[in-house]
Amino acid sequence: MKTQLAGRKMFFAGQWINRDRVIEVRDPQDNHIIDTVPAASVEDMLNCIGEAKEGAKIAASMPVHERMAVISKAADYIEANKEIYARTISREGSKTIREATSEVTRCIQTLRISAEEARRIHGETIAFDQVPGTENRVGYYYQVPIGIIGAITPFNDPLNLVAHKVGPAIASGNAIIVKPATVTPLSALLLAEAFVEAGLPSKVLSVITGYGSEIGDPLVTHPAIRMISFTGGLEAGEEITRKAGLKKISMELGSNSPVIVLEDADLHEAIGSTVSGAFSAAGQNCLGVQRVYIQEHIMDSFKEGFVERTKQYCVGDKQSEQTDMGPLINEKEAIRVENLVQEAIEKGAVLLEGGKRDGAFYTPTVLTNVPEDCTIANEEIFGPVVLLYPVVDLEEAIQKSNDVRYGLQAGIFTNDVRKAHKAIERMDVGGIMINDSSDYRIDAMPFGGMKKSGLGREGVKFTIQEMTEPKVVCYKLSDG
Ligand code: NAP
């Protein structure tokens, strides 16, 4: 297999560099090596942070029109090379070529919104004369960059979730060091290439490839890093939060999203939307549908329609336009999902469809009667498995939806505006979709979770807010 190794370099403060120690990047479909990237050392990361200090000064001094131009040019470059970007996502990750292409489209959007938002980083005037004795002052606050951002990203959207950190960081005048997921580093390196082609000054952006267990700590704990922007699982998120010290923290974590289907809903629409919400990206999606609460009168017809639709899902070669679902990110993950389903079946769950594994592939799986003490009834599956539950009414559906430690997004299907509104008010989530599944997002909306699903919000404008801080200016005028 050696002949297939391209030996890609990492992007260190404006330079493409190699290291003797490498990480093999494999296609999960057949496990063959598609490329290698350097395995950065602790020293590499510390040196990179040193360079980023200079990068932060350069970034902050870039006028807004230059930031806008660079980000727009990077978006143009990705648009011109869309196919290469899509193929890279779909080879190193588990997305099908159709899913990968739509991720590239979203990445371009994310960057274009970032370029636009750069001109809208506003402050406000301050009424200093509200306090007796300080009438002779005028002033304002404005938002300034915080310095160096440490960005840590997951495997499941290896391009767009990196763009969600890099675009806003550059728009707001910060330097940024990205540590992409070890299994999917190539898309992040391609994003860096777009910024090089766009003329971004060196040292503003670095993409350092390496193991989180090795180079995570120096990035997370370094006092020069002013913010850690993390997207990934709860366990890593909590560990990073404990270690980070005095810096801003943004946590985009996991969930086990609920969808409620009431008896007045359009059943056809609800089935189509929840099936695709459950199985897109092979269920490895932070806002994927995991738990569906169906009003009991329509449970049988929903179940029948859901299973029928699931059976039509085409699982197979990621590179084929006909394929609906590819493999999980690796065989270990597929075995983890298989074991969770097995545990539920042993405890009494009924398997309606799926439940078969072949290497990293796991068929779209539908379960009912899942007992409350099963791991998958409470924790994030992060695989193509959905649980269907009958409920008496909306009240029970809301109570059960909320009865987990996560709260990222939810969906409800109903044509009754009062019921929809009750769900909006009562569900503990960062976003609720009416007549859509939890799996809906645009890149400009505030995105993030309540409870253990995270802290802070992404969505370009909101990320920029997190990546800047107010500076107050007050002019004391003459006493007269
Ligand atoms: P993960 O295992 O938590 O890894 C995410 C990133 O963190 C990787 O780059 C990983 O590096 C790094 N990392 C792990 N432990 C670390 C540590 N102690 N210190 C510093 N860095 C560390 O998550 P994943 O399996 O890639 O992604 C799946 C998870 O992400 C799911 O829970 C999903 O719900 C969540 N997610 C959330 C959102 C959202 O916006 N809310 C979006 C997408 C995904 P290595 O790869 O080297 O281990």
Side-chain angles (χ1 to χ4, degrees):
M1 286 300 184
K2 269 268 184 254
T3 52
Q4 294 185 33
L5 301 188
R8 207 172 290 239
K9 298 170 180 176
M10 66 180 173
F11 189 59
F12 178 96
Q15 311 287 325
W16 292 101
I17 62 167
N18 269 327
R19 285 290 173 260
D20 289 340
R21 201 165 64 109
V22 295
I23 294 166
E24 291 171 345
V25 184
R26 291 171 186 269
D27 184 334
Q29 186 156 299
D30 50 19
N31 206 34
H32 87 261
I33 300 166
I34 51 175
D35 212 333
T36 63
V37 294
S41 63
V42 170
E43 199 187 352
D44 286 329
M45 185 54 92
L46 292 175
N47 289 338
C48 183
I49 295 169
E51 297 288 336
K53 288 180 189 167
E54 185 63 26
K57 289 185 196 147
I58 297 167
S61 67
M62 280 173 77
V64 167
H65 67 85
E66 275 178 25
R67 298 180 202 168
M68 292 173 72
V70 162
I71 302 169
S72 298
K73 280 185 198 159
D76 294 343
Y77 181 82
I78 296 170
E79 196 147 37
N81 296 282
K82 202 168 177 182
E83 215 186 306
I84 297 170
Y85 279 79
R87 219 175 314 119
T88 303
I89 293 171
S90 107
R91 287 195 74 201
E92 69 173 343
S94 50
K95 285 191 172 176
T96 65
I97 192 68
R98 275 194 277 130
E99 289 171 335
T101 303
S102 83
E103 182 176 342
V104 181
T105 305
R106 287 210 22 212
C107 169
I108 295 164
Q109 275 286 326
T110 302
L111 294 181
R112 297 219 187 282
I113 299 164
S114 300
E116 262 305 304
E117 288 295 338
R119 70 163 108 235
R120 287 194 278 269
I121 304 176
H122 299 307
E124 283 181 326
T125 54
I126 301 170
F128 288 106
D129 59 354
Q130 65 193 277
V131 177
T134 70
E135 292 85 354
N136 62 340
R137 284 170 169 82
V138 292
Y140 55 91
Y141 74 85
Y142 68 113
Q143 294 295 121
V144 297
I146 61 168
I148 312 172
I149 317 283
I152 303 177
T153 54
F155 72 82
N156 61 318
D157 287 311
L159 182 68
N160 191 36
L161 289 180
V162 183
H164 261 287
K165 301 184 189 305
V166 173
I170 294 171
S172 54
N174 289 291
I176 179 164
I177 300 171
V178 178
K179 195 224 86 63
T182 298
V183 284
T184 56
L186 304 177
S187 305
L189 291 168
L190 275 189
L191 184 69
E193 182 181 305
F195 277 97
V196 173
E197 294 297 319
L200 182 72
S202 57
K203 304 189 181 186
V204 173
L205 168 68
S206 289
V207 177
I208 302 298
T209 53
Y211 299 103
S213 53
E214 294 179 8
I215 59 171
D217 275 7
L219 180 64
V220 165
T221 58
H222 201 290
I225 302 290
R226 296 283 290 133
M227 174 183 182
I228 290 295
S229 174
F230 174 79
T231 303
L234 173 60
E235 203 181 316
E238 287 195 317
E239 191 183 336
I240 289 167
T241 306
R242 275 194 299 273
K243 289 178 175 170
L246 194 62
K247 49 177 67 83
K248 279 190 166 188
I249 293 179
S250 157
M251 287 283 146
E252 296 288 331
L253 309 176
S255 193
N256 50 7
S257 300
V259 171
I260 297 171
V261 185
L262 299 184
E263 58 194 9
D264 66 300
D266 177 332
L267 214 55
H268 181 73
E269 195 186 353
I271 289 168
S273 177
T274 42
V275 168
S276 97
F279 303 130
S280 71
Q284 299 161 117
N285 183 1
C286 57
L287 35 81
V289 178
Q290 180 166 330
R291 300 172 291 138
V292 190
Y293 297 102
I294 306 129
Q295 215 166 353
E296 56 192 8
H297 294 105
I298 54 165
M299 179 68 182
D300 285 344
S301 37
F302 183 91
K303 208 163 64 177
E304 204 176 295
F306 196 96
V307 169
E308 195 186 310
R309 191 73 171 248
T310 303
K311 281 184 200 291
Q312 290 161 11
Y313 241 64
C314 173
V315 182
D317 179 12
K318 287 180 293 175
Q319 304 306 331
S320 162
E321 288 285 342
Q322 271 65 54
T323 303
D324 296 313
M325 198 181 100
L328 276 87
I329 192 64
N330 51 42
E331 186 169 8
K332 195 169 147 231
E333 276 296 288
I335 292 170
R336 180 186 62 79
V337 171
E338 182 180 40
N339 289 340
L340 286 172
V341 171
Q342 205 46 47
E343 180 212 338
I345 292 170
E346 278 160 19
K347 286 185 169 168
V350 176
L351 179 72
L352 294 177
E353 177 58 28
K356 295 188 192 76
R357 186 181 67 78
D358 178 9
F361 286 90
Y362 193 76
T363 50
T365 297
V366 188
L367 294 169
T368 53
N369 291 26
V370 179
E372 278 175 17
D373 64 341
C374 293
T375 310
I376 50 173
N378 301 291
E379 294 306 323
E380 179 182 44
I381 297 173
F382 220 57
V385 181
V386 64
L387 321 183
L388 308 185
Y389 295 98
V391 284
V392 175
D393 54 16
L394 177 61
E395 191 60 36
E396 185 187 358
I398 292 175
Q399 183 260 315
K400 290 197 162 146
S401 293
N402 282 340
D403 195 20
V404 290
R405 56 184 187 153
Y406 299 101
L408 189 53
Q409 291 208 151
I412 177 167
F413 288 87
T414 179
N415 284 312
D416 184 331
V417 72
R418 283 166 302 181
K419 288 183 175 161
H421 198 254
K422 184 173 177 181
I424 294 165
E425 283 189 331
R426 300 259 311 275
M427 289 180 81
D428 304 328
V429 286
I432 175 161
M433 308 301 137
I434 316 302
N435 290 322
D436 216 334
S437 88
S438 55
D439 183 23
Y440 176 80
R441 178 186 184 184
I442 62 165
D443 297 292
M445 72 186 217
F447 181 73
M450 293 183 178
K451 302 193 281 188
K452 295 278 184 184
S453 286
L455 198 61
R457 293 291 181 271
E458 285 201 337
V460 179
K461 172 178 158 188
F462 307 92
T463 312
I464 287 175
Q465 193 66 30
E466 309 264 348
M467 290 181 173
T468 54
E469 55 194 353
K471 180 180 266 190
V472 172
V473 178
C474 177
Y475 293 86
K476 184 179 178 192
L477 305 174
S478 67
D479 291 337

